[in-house]
Amino acid sequence: MSHDPFAPSKAPHSEVEHIKRSSNYLRGSLTSTLEDLISGSIPEDDNRLMKFHGSYMQDDRDLRNERHKQKLEPAYQFMLRVRAPGGIVTPEQWLMMDRIADQYANGSIRLTTRQSFQLHGVIKWKLKSTIKTINDTLLTTLAACGDVNRNVMCNPNPYQSEVHSEVYEWSQRLSDHLSPRTNAYHEIWLDGEKVIDSQEGGEEPIYGPVYLPRKFKIGVAVPPSNDVDVYSQDLGFIAIYENGQLQGFNVSVGGGMGMSYGDPKTYPQLARVIGFCSPEQIIDVAEKTVMIQRDYGDRSVRKHARFKYTIDDRGIEWFINELTKRLGWNLEEARPFQFQNNGDRYGWVKGSNGKWHLTLFIQNGRVADQEGYPLKTGLREIAKMHTGDFRLTANQNLIIGNVSSQKKRKIEEMVKAYRLKDGIQQSALRRNSMACVALPTCGLAMAESERYLPSLLEKLELILEDAGLREEEIVIRMTGCPNGCARPALGEIAFIGKAPGRYNLYMGAGFAGDRLNKLYRENIDEKEILDSLKPIIHRYAQERQEGEHFGDFVIRTGYVKEVHSGLDFHN
Ligand code: SRM
Ligand code: SF4
């Protein structure tokens, strides 16, 4: 028999694969674990499975040392992630999130970089009622995390193009089609009828009993906006339209942001556009792509299990052949399109349906009341009278969507009264910033991110103002570790946490999210960050060419090399 160089690896599977296989379609011992009243924690096996149900066990890292000294177990708590395909929710759903944040979690709502909600600080004994309440308003936490397709992202800006609602419908269908079918979620959280022993393969026609080797992410972009950072997605669809008519989608594959320090075999990667298909064909393309990753992804080394490595190890031609074989038809040649930016555009805009949409800047997606800026209260009061929708953007911001002309004035008054537009008055740098959650909840954080970026920005703003660049749009991103949750490899300026107070500084990504950045300085503290960036910013102010973005400038002037493939990210 001839040896197939592209065959799936025969190496022994990792522990997580065994946990999944023996979980009986994500049931494990979760039901009895949740009933255990002795500890606020859950065993590791169940924790692995919990992710598929949309929750992670965490502990408050601010309290870790103190509790350890007092010989107490860590302050265990759970993060809950709520999926909202394309980021769209109703005012009733917003009000429910607002209420359960106070009732069951730490009082704040986090809008994520994938247009979902997160709640932090839910204790084990409140998980079930929280999840039940979420489901009562027709939202779900199922598959918000875990080795499955995650929240499907879609450009949420209905005013940006007439085809938006059609494109959104397709992302919703993608999301539904790729949702796990197991009944475990209903049994465990919603007191659904128990299926004692599921038939091997029967319950999950797409995923099978061991699900995917790793998380899988899909984003749908509507040019000229690349707000969903389509090149960072495992699978991307880029809407192609002519004269307001949706023609279909270009397909892109193999993006991803995560890497591990000290392991050059891991790297952020840009997805590559491989062809075009009609709207009706995208479900088939997505399903077959997911199945290829299911069959070929690395199940022995989780660090190497993302789809980007499955493709890079075998080559893009291999993937296209495999996809064509499974589809039974060929993708057409990719159609021309152009992205202009990957950020959000703020303020009021009128959509093609005659309704109004207001994009608000929400710093790092954290919805909470602050002294003089009662954001959470203001949004709650608006939700009580709003008849349109709320839209979470891929940049952690919020759109109050589909406001009728009659309601616009009232909403504008409330926006003023609660100072909700204060965020929009911030510098262009801040309006284009994102930071991941990091400390105190994220167990993987090596440095602060959400809690630190705002104050670092204050210092950078002074430099920018001095250089006359307060209104210059520069995409800036920070994460507390190299997992890349705020898609830092696509920041024109980016900081990735190395250790408390220390970051790697990257520069040179494309303003439209179409080029990776490159390491410029390693393991530096705040003073070194400011000292490194100050001369570059001043030089940019003086020497930039007309319309030249910061990321392009640092490449032209030789600060960093241009990176179009993750394979060159570390070189
Ligand atoms: Fe993420 C893990 C937060 C978007 C790549 N991510 C985590 C965990 C769950 C930490 C953990 O495993 O213990 C973080 C929870 C922190 C906390 O306390 O809340 C976490 N990720 C987030 C969020 C909330 C960041 C945010 O500030 O918004 C985002 C939630 C998205 C959602 O709603 O589904 C979030 N994570 C991302 C993205 C961006 C994206 O998807 O567009 C990425 C990079 C894209 C990618 O996947 O390649 C991302 N998160 C990761 C990784 C690295 C995966 C890898 O390929 O190596 C991890 C670690 C892991 O999976 O082992 C991770
Ligand atoms: Fe945590 Fe790292 Fe993701 Fe930030 S990038 S939320 S520190 S895993």
Side-chain angles (χ1 to χ4, degrees):
M1 220 170 70
S2 69
H3 172 69
D4 174 4
F6 301 131
S9 153
K10 294 238 165 46
H13 286 182
S14 72
E15 183 54 26
V16 180
E17 295 302 307
H18 296 295
I19 296 172
K20 287 187 281 184
R21 183 177 290 282
S22 56
S23 73
N24 187 20
Y25 294 93
L26 309 180
R27 290 171 176 83
S29 50
L30 273 171
T31 302
S32 53
T33 290
L34 291 166
E35 284 161 4
D36 162 45
L37 299 179
I38 295 169
S39 166
S41 69
I42 63 172
E44 187 46 33
D45 283 19
D46 282 335
N47 196 29
R48 284 282 172 188
L49 299 176
M50 274 289 276
K51 297 179 185 180
F52 290 81
H53 297 260
S55 181
Y56 271 68
M57 184 169 70
Q58 304 182 317
D59 73 291
D60 186 332
R61 294 179 61 182
D62 285 348
L63 306 178
R64 221 182 246 182
N65 288 344
E66 192 49 40
R67 290 184 67 94
H68 185 70
K69 268 192 229 147
Q70 292 178 20
K71 297 197 167 51
L72 292 169
E73 74 170 13
Y76 289 118
Q77 55 182 41
F78 290 79
M79 175 272 268
L80 267 184
R81 195 178 283 166
V82 182
R83 265 197 299 150
I88 304 185
V89 295
T90 63
E92 293 71 36
Q93 289 168 332
W94 183 275
L95 286 172
M96 177 276 299
M97 290 304 301
D98 177 88
R99 185 165 55 79
I100 59 175
D102 291 335
Q103 201 174 342
Y104 298 120
N106 68 1
S108 75
I109 306 171
R110 183 58 152 68
L111 314 182
T112 76
T113 54
R114 288 197 74 77
Q115 304 176 280
S116 310
F117 292 101
Q118 273 194 190
L119 296 172
H120 292 98
V122 182
I123 56 166
K124 182 172 127 180
W125 297 285
K126 300 282 185 205
L127 272 175
K128 202 163 163 174
S129 19
T130 315
I131 291 182
K132 214 164 183 308
T133 313
I134 290 168
N135 273 268
D136 287 345
T137 52
L138 303 181
L139 285 171
T140 184
T141 64
L142 174 66
C145 319
D147 297 341
V148 281
N149 178 52
R150 304 288 188 88
N151 197 41
V152 174
M153 292 172 75
C154 177
N155 174 301
N157 299 316
Y159 53 84
Q160 272 179 347
S161 120
E162 288 160 12
V163 296
H164 179 273
S165 56
E166 216 181 327
V167 174
Y168 168 71
E169 289 296 322
W170 283 110
S171 25
Q172 182 79 50
R173 274 183 229 174
L174 281 171
S175 173
D176 292 346
H177 189 72
L178 296 173
S179 283
R181 312 278 161 84
T182 175
N183 204 39
Y185 188 81
H186 284 83
E187 287 171 27
I188 297 167
W189 307 106
L190 311 175
D191 296 325
E193 200 180 312
K194 218 160 239 131
V195 178
I196 303 298
D197 201 3
S198 300
Q199 290 300 302
E200 180 88 347
E203 224 173 297
E204 294 287 8
I206 298 176
Y207 295 117
V210 246
Y211 295 84
L212 298 181
R214 206 66 166 87
K215 57 178 78 166
F216 192 90
K217 299 183 172 178
I218 300 180
V220 185
V222 185
S225 172
N226 185 21
D227 56 349
V228 300
D229 273 332
V230 76
Y231 299 116
S232 73
Q233 312 281 341
D234 293 281
L235 173 61
F237 292 104
I238 301 163
I240 303 293
Y241 52 98
E242 269 167 38
N243 306 323
Q245 297 289 316
L246 182 67
Q247 308 292 307
F249 296 88
N250 279 351
V251 180
S252 62
V253 291
M257 291 283 102
M259 61 168 171
S260 305
Y261 285 138
D263 184 352
K265 286 200 200 117
T266 64
Y267 48 84
Q269 179 59 293
L270 294 178
R272 280 127 288 165
V273 175
I274 57 166
F276 170 90
C277 68
S278 71
E280 292 71 29
Q281 291 170 324
I282 63 170
I283 305 288
D284 207 12
V285 170
E287 179 186 292
K288 301 298 182 296
T289 303
V290 163
M291 286 170 148
I292 293 172
Q293 165 65 354
R294 177 197 68 191
D295 297 342
Y296 285 90
D298 186 339
R299 290 186 185 265
S300 51
V301 182
R302 280 185 71 76
K303 264 190 191 180
H304 184 254
R306 290 296 294 269
F307 185 43
K308 59 183 173 184
Y309 303 121
T310 311
I311 292 187
D312 289 355
D313 289 354
R314 295 169 175 81
I316 197 81
E317 288 308 321
W318 165 83
F319 173 73
I320 296 171
N321 285 338
E322 187 63 31
L323 181 66
T324 310
K325 206 163 75 193
R326 293 190 189 215
L327 287 171
W329 49 270
N330 287 298
L331 290 174
E332 286 174 38
E333 198 178 314
R335 306 250 173 119
F337 66 97
Q338 209 173 11
F339 286 134
Q340 282 170 3
N341 53 60
N342 62 355
D344 289 336
R345 298 292 159 261
Y346 297 97
W348 283 105
V349 214
K350 197 172 189 179
S352 48
N353 61 359
K355 297 275 176 71
W356 290 88
H357 314 283
L358 172 64
T359 307
L360 295 170
F361 170 71
I362 311 285
Q363 183 140 274
N364 302 328
R366 183 66 68 182
V367 178
D369 283 344
Q370 284 170 34
E371 178 103 28
Y373 180 45
L375 176 61
K376 184 157 173 286
T377 305
L379 291 173
R380 181 193 314 128
E381 293 309 314
I382 288 175
K384 284 182 189 164
M385 52 79 70
H386 180 36
T387 44
D389 50 41
F390 287 92
R391 295 164 178 246
L392 281 52
T393 80
N395 290 293
Q396 304 171 320
N397 295 311
L398 184 68
I399 301 173
I400 302 176
N402 281 312
V403 177
S404 62
S405 295
Q406 297 90 308
K407 285 259 167 86
K408 182 171 177 261
R409 187 181 316 158
K410 178 71 194 150
I411 290 196
E412 182 61 19
E413 275 168 25
M414 294 173 83
V415 163
K416 277 211 183 90
Y418 292 101
R419 308 186 56 170
L420 305 188
K421 264 199 194 158
D422 281 15
I424 304 179
Q425 325 299 337
Q426 309 279 358
S427 71
L429 182 74
R430 196 175 291 257
R431 295 197 307 265
N432 283 284
S433 68
M434 281 210 284
C436 73
V437 179
L439 291 157
T441 50
C442 179
L444 306 177
M446 300 170 174
E448 294 281 355
S449 184
E450 179 186 332
R451 296 196 296 195
Y452 172 54
L453 185 63
S455 72
L456 177 65
L457 285 176
E458 263 169 43
K459 290 163 191 152
L460 287 171
E461 278 164 350
L462 292 178
I463 298 177
L464 282 159
E465 256 161 53
D466 202 31
L469 296 177
R470 194 186 149 84
E471 280 313 310
E472 192 62 34
E473 310 244 11
I474 301 175
V475 175
I476 182 163
R477 295 177 174 180
M478 174 177 275
T479 57
C481 85
N483 281 318
C485 298
R487 300 187 288 274
L490 293 171
E492 294 182 281
I493 301 176
F495 307 98
I496 303 189
K498 217 37 241 279
R502 305 194 78 87
Y503 297 83
N504 283 357
L505 166 60
Y506 297 78
M507 298 195 302
F511 188 70
D514 47 4
R515 184 179 61 226
L516 294 170
N517 55 20
K518 182 108 187 133
L519 181 64
Y520 178 63
R521 290 280 182 267
E522 204 170 348
N523 198 24
I524 55 177
D525 64 12
E526 180 172 284
K527 182 172 179 315
E528 292 164 303
I529 289 174
L530 299 173
D531 288 350
S532 304
L533 284 174
K534 191 171 172 178
I536 306 175
I537 289 171
H538 277 278
R539 195 171 160 204
Y540 173 55
Q542 281 151 19
E543 295 179 25
R544 74 194 153 138
Q545 295 169 348
E546 196 172 332
E548 188 176 31
H549 289 290
F550 185 82
D552 300 332
F553 174 80
V554 291
I555 288 171
R556 180 173 63 80
T557 47
Y559 289 102
V560 286
K561 277 200 265 171
E562 171 165 27
V563 185
H564 288 283
S565 163
L567 299 170
D568 300 325
F569 186 76
H570 297 295
N571 302 328

